[in-house]
Amino acid sequence: MATACAFPDVFSWIEKLPPLNQWRTTCISLCLCSSTSSQPSLNLTISKNNQNQTLYFSIVANFNLPISLWTSKPIKFSSNSTKSLDEETISSLFVNLIEEVLHYGSNNNNNNSIKFHGVDSIPEAKEIFNLAFLTLFFLICIYEAPADLRSDCLNTLKNNLANCQSRRATKLLMRLLGSNLEEKWMRSINLAITNWIDEVQTARRRSALKTPSPLFSYAISTFGLWKVQLYCPLIAMNLENSSTNSTPSADERLQFSLNYHQLEGVIQFNYRVIPQETWVGIIVNIDNIRCDVIKLVSETLMAERGVGSTEKHFPSRISLQLTPTLQNNILSVSVGKSSENPVREIGVEKSIEAGFEPPNPYLGLKVSAGESMTMSLKPWKFEQSVYGNSGNLNWYLHDSMDGREVFSSKPSKFALINPKAWFKHRYSSVYRPFTRQGGVVFAGDEYGESVMWKVDKSALGRTMEWEVRGWIWLTYWPNRHRTFYNETRRLEFREIVGLTIS
């Protein structure tokens, strides 16, 4: 078994290396993941070429004949430097690490230039550098490591990726990358996690697998805004219910399409602090709630191995809860009204038809009677409620044919084969309850009701924290593919945001 220890501090190890002209050999190595005597370790190796003054960083499986799993771009060094690796060299390596992580994503032909100031100017550079290296090492273990090494090393790495230090460093790195590269970074990682989980499930060892932080989320509190960003691969979400007791293994192509997507969510609130004579009002409004289900592989691969990218889950319920973490100063909490009842258009039409069809030896009289009723329902219903000092916000998607909640019900077999059902062609129909890409957006202009807390005036000048807790349900009903399979999955997240009462 691989040793379950902390991942080495690669940044500090590099900084403490002796100057290059004092190296006794052309290579120096650091053990990254050790194993039993029967299996080799995985090492980070730095090799120098004195002729062209370049360095190469490699991750090597230390067999009797070493196998290189990854090698960096050549990095120039100065022979006159008193340090082994100067700031420029480490900065070049850092950019190379990020580029390599992005390379493992499905959209690796991106033109986004990665530009940073020197590593020395980046706050907490050591933590961010180590996290970038750990992430790349994790991807290399999934894609490049021999099978007999992969399991032991991944079991060690998953704990290091999920610990508080790594999650905090990931948040710092996301701020450094910016939103566009952040999305590519998370898609690359979650594609690797999906491949890993799929490999283990195929080997029928699902119960032994604990994924390395399958849900990643972080929160920002600034300038009157609370923001929570989250990402989760579909294959790692909890299965709430399905039409069978397991995944649709009999239909491998459908299973591929369902698995190789990820949820991307953004939760944004605006807040205001309004001091009164004897109390302080804290008002929180919805700014933007966005949930998208994004494919992790190319459209070509989805068509070759799957049944297309339109066979995927869709958001069916979103539930958010806002709670002050310390409540001794809370006087009351108020919410706005829930959404109005769904639009209902009910009409009853009765008709009798008769016809005479000569020539016939008998009287050809045909009579028919019919009765029809129509109902129009708003697909999404929004509700607010209070539990203790918590404000609860809920969005429910309803079946427009029978009005039932989608996340907790199953469609009938007749509905599944009915080409005119609302969930058929749900990303192209004019009546779709989603964006064309399959997501949903709830904006403040439509869901602008607020939650207000009245706080004792003694809280002025203090910083208060709120817990943003949420649950998101994703449901799959067949779109164009012919199948009776359906399921609903759920994830839960929890983040802390703050504000200064002034």
Side-chain angles (χ1 to χ4, degrees):
M1 294 291 294
T3 56
C5 58
F7 195 73
D9 183 351
V10 176
F11 186 87
S12 297
W13 178 74
I14 291 174
E15 279 200 321
K16 294 177 182 177
L17 289 174
L20 289 168
N21 56 16
Q22 296 180 17
W23 288 19
R24 296 182 180 181
T25 62
T26 57
C27 295
I28 292 182
S29 295
L30 170 69
C31 179
L32 298 175
C33 184
S34 60
S35 187
T36 61
S37 57
S38 61
Q39 297 293 340
S41 60
L42 295 181
N43 297 342
L44 170 63
T45 299
I46 307 178
S47 306
K48 66 172 182 175
N49 186 322
N50 291 322
Q51 292 183 349
N52 55 14
Q53 293 187 331
T54 55
L55 292 173
Y56 294 90
F57 292 78
S58 302
I59 294 176
V60 177
N62 193 27
F63 290 95
N64 291 333
L65 182 61
I67 299 176
S68 177
L69 307 179
W70 169 80
T71 301
S72 71
K73 294 179 179 179
I75 299 176
K76 288 287 186 179
F77 69 86
S78 173
S79 58
N80 298 324
S81 176
T82 57
K83 297 176 63 176
S84 177
L85 302 179
D86 56 20
E87 179 189 344
E88 183 177 352
T89 302
I90 297 177
S91 296
S92 298
L93 175 60
F94 179 52
V95 171
N96 193 187
L97 296 176
I98 294 173
E99 290 174 339
E100 290 296 316
V101 171
L102 297 177
H103 176 75
Y104 280 104
S106 62
N107 185 21
N108 52 37
N109 296 321
N110 59 77
N111 298 319
N112 298 74
S113 58
I114 303 174
K115 295 181 180 180
F116 303 113
H117 297 294
V119 169
D120 285 355
S121 64
I122 299 176
E124 304 187 65
K126 181 178 78 171
E127 288 74 14
I128 296 176
F129 179 95
N130 284 338
L131 185 279
F133 185 88
L134 173 62
T135 303
L136 177 60
F137 185 51
F138 172 70
L139 299 185
I140 289 170
C141 284
I142 290 177
Y143 291 114
E144 316 295 345
D148 50 355
L149 286 177
R150 187 182 306 131
S151 177
D152 282 353
C153 288
L154 289 176
N155 285 331
T156 299
L157 291 175
K158 67 182 179 63
N159 296 324
N160 287 283
L161 276 171
N163 65 31
C164 295
Q165 182 178 356
S166 291
R167 291 182 67 82
R168 180 176 178 275
T170 303
K171 295 177 184 180
L172 296 173
L173 177 59
M174 295 303 99
R175 297 291 299 275
L176 187 65
L177 291 178
S179 295
N180 291 342
L181 288 181
E182 173 187 320
E183 290 183 353
K184 290 182 171 60
W185 177 276
M186 293 308 305
R187 291 173 190 177
S188 182
I189 295 171
N190 284 336
L191 173 59
I193 291 175
T194 299
N195 283 322
W196 178 32
I197 296 175
D198 184 64
E199 177 185 352
V200 176
Q201 289 182 347
T202 302
R204 298 182 181 180
R205 291 187 288 116
R206 186 186 310 175
S207 60
L209 176 66
K210 291 185 178 180
T211 58
S213 184
L215 166 69
F216 172 72
S217 62
Y218 68 91
I220 298 173
S221 308
T222 182
F223 304 120
L225 174 71
W226 289 341
K227 178 182 177 182
V228 177
Q229 187 91 33
L230 57 92
Y231 303 88
C232 186
L234 262 295
I235 197 173
M237 292 177 64
N238 294 327
L239 184 63
E240 287 275 283
N241 59 68
S242 68
S243 56
T244 60
N245 294 326
S246 60
T247 56
S249 55
D251 191 341
E252 294 183 356
R253 291 172 62 86
L254 174 60
Q255 187 177 22
F256 182 89
S257 285
L258 296 183
N259 286 347
Y260 281 83
H261 282 87
Q262 79 166 1
L263 171 68
E264 298 181 4
V266 178
I267 316 295
Q268 292 179 178
F269 296 100
N270 295 320
Y271 66 82
R272 290 177 293 154
V273 178
I274 304 177
Q276 301 293 328
E277 185 176 349
T278 57
W279 50 273
V280 179
I282 298 172
I283 301 177
V284 177
N285 290 85
I286 296 167
D287 177 73
N288 229 232
I289 311 294
R290 304 192 297 272
C291 288
D292 291 297
V293 181
I294 304 296
K295 65 179 183 294
L296 292 171
V297 295
S298 66
E299 196 73 41
T300 301
L301 191 57
M302 272 291 184
E304 290 177 354
R305 295 191 56 190
V307 289
S309 59
T310 61
E311 296 302 320
K312 62 179 181 178
H313 294 73
F314 53 84
S316 55
R317 181 186 175 186
I318 300 172
S319 181
L320 303 175
Q321 186 178 79
L322 306 178
T323 308
T325 56
L326 295 177
Q327 302 188 9
N328 57 306
N329 290 322
I330 303 297
L331 302 176
S332 68
V333 57
S334 303
V335 296
K337 64 181 179 181
S338 295
S339 63
E340 297 178 355
N341 290 329
V343 175
R344 302 174 65 184
E345 298 174 359
I346 300 178
V348 177
E349 178 182 346
K350 296 182 179 180
S351 61
I352 297 178
E353 297 180 359
F356 183 73
E357 299 179 0
N360 257 323
Y362 304 101
L363 181 64
L365 181 64
K366 182 171 66 176
V367 179
S368 64
E371 180 177 310
S372 64
M373 180 175 66
T374 62
M375 179 181 294
S376 175
L377 300 173
K378 293 175 65 176
W380 286 97
K381 180 173 175 60
F382 173 59
E383 293 180 347
Q384 289 180 291
S385 61
V386 172
Y387 178 77
N389 285 323
S390 299
N392 300 320
L393 313 173
N394 289 279
W395 290 262
Y396 302 91
L397 177 65
H398 291 78
D399 187 333
S400 60
M401 300 300 293
D402 56 24
R404 292 189 301 170
E405 293 178 347
V406 171
F407 85 99
S408 60
S409 62
K410 296 181 180 180
S412 66
K413 289 188 176 181
F414 174 77
L416 290 174
I417 62 175
N418 180 10
K420 295 184 178 180
W422 74 265
F423 50 86
K424 294 288 188 178
H425 306 285
R426 56 180 172 260
Y427 308 123
S428 57
S429 168
V430 69
Y431 302 108
R432 63 182 184 264
F434 316 104
T435 65
R436 190 172 179 82
Q437 289 71 35
V440 290
V441 178
F442 302 126
D445 57 351
E446 185 177 1
Y447 301 95
E449 300 295 337
S450 61
V451 182
M452 185 178 76
W453 288 267
K454 290 184 179 180
V455 180
D456 189 275
K457 202 162 186 178
S458 62
L460 278 172
R462 300 182 185 178
T463 297
M464 292 187 65
E465 291 183 338
W466 263 255
E467 177 188 76
V468 181
R469 189 178 180 187
W471 300 262
I472 298 175
W473 286 259
L474 299 181
T475 297
Y476 171 72
W477 288 356
N479 183 30
R480 297 180 179 179
H481 185 62
R482 291 189 175 184
T483 179
F484 289 122
Y485 183 77
N486 57 89
E487 70 174 28
T488 293
R489 293 180 177 268
R490 178 184 62 86
L491 67 81
E492 179 180 350
F493 66 89
R494 188 191 308 253
E495 288 294 334
I496 300 295
V497 293
L499 62 87
T500 300
I501 302 177
S502 59

